[in-house]
C-alpha cells in the first residue's frame, strides 16, 4: 500500500519570507508524524531558499519516522548528507532559477558521477532513492548505479490536462514502477501531487512512498496541518485498496 511522506519545505518558505523564527519546520514535522505520515522530506537547496542547515540538523534529532533528505549531488551536499545521516536521501537535479525541481536527475548520461556519489553515500551508511523520470534508460541506469530506491517524477502526469494525455502519462508511471520492481528497486513517486490527482498514482501496483509537499502545506492554511495530512492519507489509503 502506498504511504505518505510529507515535504515540509514550504513551512520554511513561509518563515524565510519574514526572516524570523516561525513557522518552525521541526514543529511541522512533529505534527505530520502524529497525523500519520510515515516520513518527513526536506530539501536543502544550494541557495538555502527555504530549509537551512540548522533545520536539517534539528530534523535529524527529532524525526522519529523516516527522514528523507533531498539534495543535489555536489561535494558540499554529499558532505552534509554523510554527516547528517538521514534515513534515506534523494538526489535531485537543481537549477538556481527554477521555482521547484523541474525534471528528473540525468542518471544515464552521468552514470560515473552518480555511481561514485552513491558509493560514497553507501560508505557512510545512507541509502539512496534517485529522483528520475519514468524513462526506461533512467530506471535501468539507476539500478546499475546502485540506487536502493527510485522516486518517479510525477510532474508531467500532474501538468497534462486532457484525459488521454493523463492516461498516457499514468501508463508511463505504471510501466516505470513495474520495471523498477523487476530490477529490485523500491519505487516511490512525487512532485505536483494534490488532493485531486493523487488517487491513480497511489493505486499503482507496489507503490511505496508518495512525497507530497506544496498541496498539503497549502491546504493546511485552511484546515490546519494535521487535518491536511489526514485528508491526504485518507485519499491514498482509499486508492491503494482498490
Ligand atoms: N519529490 C521531489 C524529489 C521534490 O523535489 C519535490 C519538491 O521539492 C517533491 C517531491 C514535492 O513536490 P510538491 O511540493 O509539488 O508536492
Amino acid at each position: 500500500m502506498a504511504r505518505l511522506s510529507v515535504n515540509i519545505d514550504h513551512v520554511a518558505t513561509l518563515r524565510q519570507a519574514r526572516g524570523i523564527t516561525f513557522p518552525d519546520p521541526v514543529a511541522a514535522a512533529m505534527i505530520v508524524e502524529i497525523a500519520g505520515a510515515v516520513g518527513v522530506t526536506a530539501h536543502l537547496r544550494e541557495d538555502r531558499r527555504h530549509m537551512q542547515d540548522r533545520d536539517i540538523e534539528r530534523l535529524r534529532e527529532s524525526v522519529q519516522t523516516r527522514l528523507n533528505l533531498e539534495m543535489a549531488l555536489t561535494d558540499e551536499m554529499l558532505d552534509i548528507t554523510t554527516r547528517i545521516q538521514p534515513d534515506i536521501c534523494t538526489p535531485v537535479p537543481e537549477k538556481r532559477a527554477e521555482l521547484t525541481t523541474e525534471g528528473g536527475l540525468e542518471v544515464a548520461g552521468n552514470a560515473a558521477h552518480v555511481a561514485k556519489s552513491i558509493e560514497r553515500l553507501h560508505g557512510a551508511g545512507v541509502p539512496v532513492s534517485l529522483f528520475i523520470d519514468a524513462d526506461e534508460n533512467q530506471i535501468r541506469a539507476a539500478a546499475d548505479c546502485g540506487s536502493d530506491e527510485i522516486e518517479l517524477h510525477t510532474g508531467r502526469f500532474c501538468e497534462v490536462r486532457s484525459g488521454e494525455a493523463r492516461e498516457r502519462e499514468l501508463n508511463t508511471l505504471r510501466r516505470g514502477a513495474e520495471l523498477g520492481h523487476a530490477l529490485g528497486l523500491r519505487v516511490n513517486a512525487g512532485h505536483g501531487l494534490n488532493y485531486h490527482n493523487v488517487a491513480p498514482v497511489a493505486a499503482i501496483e507496489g507503490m511505496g512512498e508518495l512525497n507530497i509537499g506544496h498541496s498539503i502545506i497549502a491546504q493546511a492554511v485552511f484546515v490546519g496541518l494535521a487535518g491536511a495530512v489526514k485528508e491526504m492519507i485518507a485519499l491514498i489509503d482509499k486508492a491503494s485498496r482498490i
Side-chain angles (χ1 to χ4, degrees):
M1 244 169 84
R3 300 266 184 240
L4 175 66
S5 182
V6 181
N7 181 316
I8 55 170
D9 291 346
H10 295 306
V11 176
T13 301
L14 203 54
R15 178 194 59 193
Q16 296 308 110
R18 281 291 172 97
I20 49 177
T21 56
F22 64 89
D24 181 3
V26 178
M30 304 301 91
I31 292 169
V32 307
E33 287 188 318
I34 287 169
V38 300
V40 173
T41 298
H43 184 175
L44 185 66
R45 291 188 75 102
E46 292 182 273
D47 62 10
R48 308 300 198 269
R49 69 173 68 159
H50 35 54
M51 287 291 165
Q52 307 297 303
D53 297 57
R54 180 79 188 114
D55 293 326
I56 304 298
E57 285 163 10
R58 290 173 60 236
L59 286 169
R60 179 59 297 178
E61 287 161 14
S62 309
V63 168
Q64 302 289 318
T65 54
R66 184 161 110 131
L67 176 62
N68 173 19
L69 179 62
E70 292 178 6
M71 27 66 88
L73 282 182
T74 61
D75 283 341
E76 183 201 19
M77 288 300 154
L78 288 169
D79 285 346
I80 292 172
T81 307
T82 53
R83 179 171 56 78
I84 294 285
Q85 299 269 303
D87 300 296
I88 184 89
C89 74
T90 302
V92 297
E94 221 177 88
K95 290 190 217 123
R96 294 259 163 158
E98 68 191 356
L99 286 178
T100 180
T101 319
E102 280 170 359
L105 194 67
E106 176 52 57
V107 180
N110 208 8
H113 175 64
V114 176
K116 203 162 155 240
S117 303
I118 291 179
E119 207 178 295
R120 188 166 162 207
L121 291 160
H122 281 169
V126 181
V128 178
S129 174
L130 294 175
F131 181 56
I132 53 175
D133 292 328
D135 168 86
E136 181 178 344
N137 286 339
Q138 301 295 345
I139 296 167
R140 289 191 184 281
D144 289 346
C145 287
S147 200
D148 306 280
E149 311 184 8
I150 51 175
E151 179 179 337
L152 298 179
H153 195 318
T154 50
R156 250 204 321 257
F157 162 76
C158 297
E159 273 162 25
V160 292
R161 288 270 163 256
S162 84
E164 207 177 304
R166 251 170 98 90
E167 199 49 35
R168 209 171 34 242
E169 294 301 334
L170 190 58
N171 278 331
T172 303
L173 291 168
R174 287 186 184 122
R175 278 196 305 274
E178 206 176 316
L179 176 60
H181 292 138
L183 294 169
L185 298 162
R186 184 174 194 235
V187 178
N188 310 302
H191 209 285
L193 295 172
N194 62 39
Y195 296 86
H196 303 287
N197 62 22
V198 72
V201 178
I204 291 175
E205 183 80 28
M207 182 52 71
E209 272 171 34
L210 298 178
N211 288 307
I212 309 181
H214 186 266
S215 60
I216 292 177
I217 304 305
Q219 180 75 342
V221 171
F222 301 112
V223 303
L225 185 53
V229 170
K230 285 179 188 166
E231 281 177 24
M232 188 60 84
I233 290 173
L235 291 172
I236 292 171
D237 283 356
K238 188 168 170 222
S240 308
R241 274 192 235 107
I242 294 166

